[in-house]
Amino acid sequence: MNNEYNLTDGSPRYGARSDDHSSPPTPGDALRVEETPEAAARLGLDHLAAAIDRRLTSFWADRENPLVVQLRKAYPEELAAARALVKLHLGSQRQWRIKAQAVRDKHLAETMRRRRASGSALEIMFLRLGLIIALIAPPVYVVATSRDDILKLVLTGAVCMAAAYLGGHFITIRSRIPVTPNIYGPWLRELREDVVNATLVAILQNKGAAIEPATAAAGRRGWDSIASAARAVEALQG
């Protein structure tokens, strides 16, 4: 794949390289700069939501760390390589969200199978169809019989909005499926930059660059927070 991370021969610009491709490198031979973005690509929506909550409530995330800012400015080429590597594994923001949704769907697959086996999934489908019909029928009737009565149209619309909220709330509870977390783009972007920072540190350490321990720790802090939140979610999900 031709990107800023790879050389012209397809080998990684940073990381372990060898002319002998007969066997993969053993753990500990070299730092794997791909490890963090690969792990980030395996996170589900629930992991990301927990990581966002943890980040929003962490004092260190209230403002940019000067050590990390300086590190990114000092190594622009390596930063570009880190961004390219993260994009290679995560894709765009939208693609990362889709990957995370797929992870979540896979986790809930067994729950959905139980709901289908018990017949509750069919019940929920009929409830949703009924709600759709109930929301469509009144406005259509009003438009067909009292098109010029603006007040009736407005009142019907207000009633339908309330019915949609209450009906959706009832169906959500009835289905007994965990609600999909709401992931805001700017907050997800902050997590992505945490992944970039940790990848940048790994690239520099792989090259043997002299990085102060405090700077390296600051660069990895965001990813360490994400990983900690993900482990907590895994423990809850069993």
Side-chain angles (χ1 to χ4, degrees):
M1 182 174 293
N2 185 19
N3 54 54
E4 298 170 356
Y5 171 71
N6 288 348
L7 295 172
T8 56
D9 63 357
S11 62
R13 184 181 301 274
Y14 304 107
R17 293 191 297 272
S18 174
D19 294 332
D20 180 12
H21 301 287
S22 59
S23 61
T26 59
D29 284 351
L31 293 171
R32 291 191 66 250
V33 297
E34 304 91 346
E35 184 174 349
T36 298
E38 284 177 354
R42 294 193 294 267
L43 297 175
L45 283 182
D46 297 311
H47 303 115
L48 296 180
I52 288 172
D53 287 346
R54 182 181 174 90
R55 197 179 203 285
L56 292 175
T57 55
S58 298
F59 72 91
W60 56 264
D62 290 343
R63 60 186 59 86
E64 289 187 289
N65 191 305
L67 295 175
V68 177
V69 173
Q70 183 59 37
L71 184 70
R72 291 163 69 105
K73 287 182 178 179
Y75 297 96
E77 181 182 351
E78 288 77 5
L79 177 60
R83 290 191 183 281
L85 185 56
V86 170
K87 185 176 182 180
L88 178 66
H89 289 279
L90 300 185
S92 64
Q93 288 287 93
R94 179 176 177 274
Q95 289 170 329
W96 191 17
R97 193 188 300 259
I98 291 174
K99 289 176 187 286
Q101 179 66 61
V103 172
R104 185 177 190 271
D105 291 344
K106 183 178 180 180
H107 169 70
L108 292 177
E110 178 58 33
T111 301
M112 296 302 296
R113 282 194 290 268
R114 293 204 312 269
R115 297 292 181 269
R116 286 193 292 269
S118 66
S120 61
L122 186 62
E123 175 192 356
I124 296 302
M125 184 185 70
F126 282 122
L127 286 174
R128 286 174 175 166
L129 289 175
L131 179 61
I132 292 172
I133 293 172
L135 294 176
I136 293 176
V140 171
Y141 176 77
V142 172
V143 169
T145 59
S146 308
R147 179 175 300 178
D148 298 329
D149 193 337
I150 303 300
L151 179 59
K152 184 179 289 187
L153 285 171
V154 171
L155 291 176
T156 301
V159 170
C160 286
M161 289 178 62
Y165 174 79
L166 295 174
H169 184 68
F170 171 78
I171 292 174
T172 297
I173 295 174
R174 186 76 174 176
S175 65
R176 301 191 72 248
I177 299 295
V179 178
T180 302
N182 196 4
I183 306 293
Y184 293 103
W187 293 348
L188 182 61
R189 195 172 300 113
E190 292 183 18
L191 296 188
R192 189 185 185 95
E193 288 305 308
D194 288 337
V195 177
V196 170
N197 290 337
T199 305
L200 172 60
V201 171
I203 288 174
L204 292 172
Q205 290 178 334
N206 186 273
K207 291 179 64 177
I211 310 175
E212 292 293 330
T215 302
R220 289 193 301 263
R221 180 176 290 169
W223 171 249
D224 289 342
S225 176
I226 295 173
S228 179
R231 287 193 296 269
V233 171
E234 291 292 332
L236 288 173
Q237 292 179 343

